[in-house]
Amino acid sequence: MRKKIWLSLDAWYPQMAGPNVVVTNYKNILQRTNDCKLFVTSYGKKLDAEGDKKTGVDVVHVKSVNIFFGGYRNTLPQNDNKVKQLLKEGVDIFHSHSPFGLGHYFAKQAHKLGVPSIVTLHTKFRDDFVRCTHSRALTAFMMRRIMKVINETDYVWTVSNGAVDTLREYGYKGDVTVIRNGTDMTMPNNAQQLVDEVNRQYHLQDEENVFLFVGRIVSTKNLPLVFDALSKLKQRNLPFKMLVVGGGEELHNYRKLTESMGIGDRVIFVGQITDREFLRAFYLRADLFLFPSVYDTASLCPIEAATFSLPALLIKDSQTAETVTDGFSGYCAVEDSSVWADKIEEIITDKQKLKQVSDNCRKYVYRSWEDVVQEVEGHYDQLLGANK
């Protein structure tokens, strides 16, 4: 049955992060057999047009106002005539991927129409609010707002078991469904050509050990832990280069930090790569993916890396590490730079074991968005059947 599905995310270009990738893949795959619309925050005509061109995603930009912190905006679907007009065409299911203006609007309209509403939580919002506002009062106010949206939505989903625990910490007592993330990355036919291009651009032809980080360059990613571990490895005269792919407000500070730590010659800040085809080249070139975040609920990057049999070193017991078995399909170590230095040295000196783990991460960590959306549609059909 062809369903009318509304997806939403209270963000969009230029505020690009993991949830943008999630909703893009949901939308593109669901659209093949359904009438699927994706509603996102408008950042003004110029940026919206630029985003449409760069992302290539068919979205509905919704009116918004600046909220003066973190570069975020408050989306106002109730004041947007095109949203009201589209609503007249009918909706079978509302699925929000953020508990803000669009999430509240979706829950409200779902109740009016008597159809299911879902909200998927991707983020540790309290941590984000503290980081952006530096205010306990504002953080408490924002937490009350998002919990109102979560509690008024019919079904709550998230992306990891650890994220369920986070919801419990926030005070949510209802049922939670876990739908794990996937990736749209695929192995290219011109893999060696892409590797050669990265080698040429970043002078890596003769480098023996290449490490990689992909993600936003912000404090929540915990990158100083990696840099401290790498400084210890340099003191041990171990050869390596580290590629840091991503943009963010702390990029300049981290460049200065690596210089002060004496590893400025070993760490290459690539910047943000918006061309996902070329991004594959970095995963292909690297020998080990280093992801020290304890903030992420289920980062997409280790799944992307697994596409190319690139295993990740993660923080032990972090939410992103849920799908990795240490020494089998990836690596885990406690949040300590000395331990990480020892672990990295152990990994890169046992090439045979690294090859086995690389093969296993492709088998056991990789998951395609096609598989994810098939699971999602199964849940949609169950909810619609129960709603009749």
Side-chain angles (χ1 to χ4, degrees):
M1 180 184 74
R2 192 171 182 88
K3 298 176 284 290
K4 292 183 177 181
I5 302 164
W6 279 24
L7 305 174
S8 74
L9 181 66
D10 286 274
W12 199 244
Y13 181 89
Q15 292 285 337
M16 302 299 283
N20 299 66
V21 178
V22 176
V23 296
T24 293
N25 284 281
Y26 271 49
K27 202 274 182 187
N28 289 343
I29 297 170
L30 286 168
Q31 183 61 40
R32 297 173 191 165
T33 54
N34 302 278
D35 177 8
C36 184
K37 293 180 173 61
L38 172 56
F39 295 79
V40 300
T41 302
S42 170
Y43 287 79
K45 288 184 178 179
K46 183 178 179 182
L47 283 174
D48 290 350
E50 189 176 308
D52 289 346
K53 184 176 180 181
K54 287 196 173 183
T55 65
V57 186
D58 180 19
V59 300
V60 180
H61 298 281
V62 182
K63 284 182 180 180
S64 69
V65 292
N66 193 359
I67 57 175
F68 306 111
F69 67 82
Y72 297 105
R73 299 179 68 86
N74 184 30
T75 319
L76 303 171
Q78 69 275 13
N79 297 334
D80 196 312
N81 288 330
K82 65 177 173 293
V83 176
K84 295 176 183 178
Q85 193 63 36
L86 288 169
L87 196 59
K88 294 177 182 178
E89 299 175 8
V91 185
D92 293 315
I93 196 160
F94 291 87
H95 188 171
S96 175
H97 287 259
S98 51
F100 298 104
L102 281 164
H104 172 64
Y105 184 80
F106 273 27
K108 186 177 177 181
Q109 297 305 319
H111 291 165
K112 283 184 179 179
L113 296 174
V115 300
S117 62
I118 304 165
V119 61
T120 293
L121 277 298
H122 298 271
T123 304
K124 291 182 178 177
F125 288 105
R126 181 182 285 151
D127 294 17
D128 253 2
F129 297 152
V130 170
R131 179 176 62 86
C132 291
T133 68
H134 306 290
S135 165
R136 288 184 179 181
L138 272 175
T139 296
F141 169 75
M142 293 300 295
M143 287 303 298
R144 285 194 296 271
R145 284 195 62 184
I146 71 164
M147 290 310 298
K148 181 177 185 298
V149 174
I150 292 168
N151 283 305
E152 69 188 0
T153 305
D154 296 325
Y155 302 96
V156 176
W157 295 3
T158 191
V159 290
S160 66
N161 294 325
V164 177
D165 295 336
T166 298
L167 274 165
R168 300 297 183 221
E169 290 171 13
Y170 293 169
Y172 183 70
K173 295 180 172 59
D175 294 334
V176 183
T177 298
V178 174
I179 306 288
R180 298 191 182 277
N181 286 327
T183 180
D184 60 345
M185 287 286 185
T186 56
M187 182 65 73
N189 295 322
N190 60 337
Q192 189 56 53
Q193 182 181 338
L194 289 170
V195 169
D196 291 344
E197 182 59 24
V198 170
N199 283 338
R200 185 189 67 78
Q201 286 193 32
Y202 300 100
H203 310 291
L204 299 173
Q205 289 90 340
D206 300 320
E207 293 299 330
E208 184 180 348
N209 302 304
V210 177
F211 307 136
L212 175 67
F213 169 87
V214 177
R216 290 185 300 152
I217 312 303
V218 292
S219 59
T220 52
K221 299 298 182 180
N222 205 19
L223 276 170
L225 181 144
V226 168
F227 298 148
D228 195 33
L230 295 181
S231 70
K232 291 175 170 59
L233 292 177
K234 184 178 180 181
Q235 292 169 12
R236 300 176 192 178
N237 295 318
L238 286 171
F240 69 86
K241 283 290 177 71
M242 173 81 188
L243 293 166
V244 179
V245 177
E249 59 264 28
E250 297 176 49
L251 182 58
H252 176 68
N253 291 340
Y254 283 157
R255 280 199 177 101
K256 292 172 62 177
L257 176 63
T258 55
E259 291 289 345
S260 70
M261 297 175 78
I263 55 171
D265 60 328
R266 302 287 189 96
V267 180
I268 301 168
F269 290 91
V270 174
Q272 186 174 9
I273 301 291
T274 56
D275 181 353
R276 289 183 63 76
E277 295 299 305
F278 187 51
L279 179 59
R280 296 186 296 181
F282 295 89
Y283 287 119
L284 285 162
R285 178 59 185 90
D287 300 296
L288 183 65
F289 190 77
L290 303 179
F291 196 78
S293 172
V294 293
Y295 159 80
D296 290 75
T297 53
S299 174
L300 302 176
C301 299
I303 309 172
E304 292 181 352
T307 309
F308 310 100
S309 299
L310 175 64
L313 173 57
L314 308 167
I315 298 291
K316 183 181 179 182
D317 298 326
S318 65
Q319 293 178 11
T320 294
E322 277 184 18
T323 58
V324 168
T325 300
D326 181 40
F328 177 76
S329 57
Y331 301 96
C332 301
V334 297
E335 191 180 358
D336 180 281
S337 61
S338 295
V339 175
W340 268 55
D342 292 342
K343 189 76 169 183
I344 293 169
E345 184 176 10
E346 175 190 328
I347 292 167
I348 63 177
T349 52
D350 191 344
K351 302 295 185 186
Q352 184 176 353
K353 177 70 174 294
L354 178 57
K355 175 64 169 63
Q356 293 171 351
V357 174
S358 298
D359 292 342
N360 287 337
C361 84
R362 179 64 173 81
K363 293 176 184 175
Y364 298 101
V365 178
Y366 171 80
R367 172 169 153 93
S368 74
W369 282 120
E370 301 281 347
D371 292 337
V372 175
V373 174
Q374 183 178 9
E375 182 181 354
V376 166
E377 275 219 84
H379 283 283
Y380 284 172
D381 290 338
Q382 283 184 342
L383 299 183
L384 290 171
N387 210 56
K388 289 181 179 178

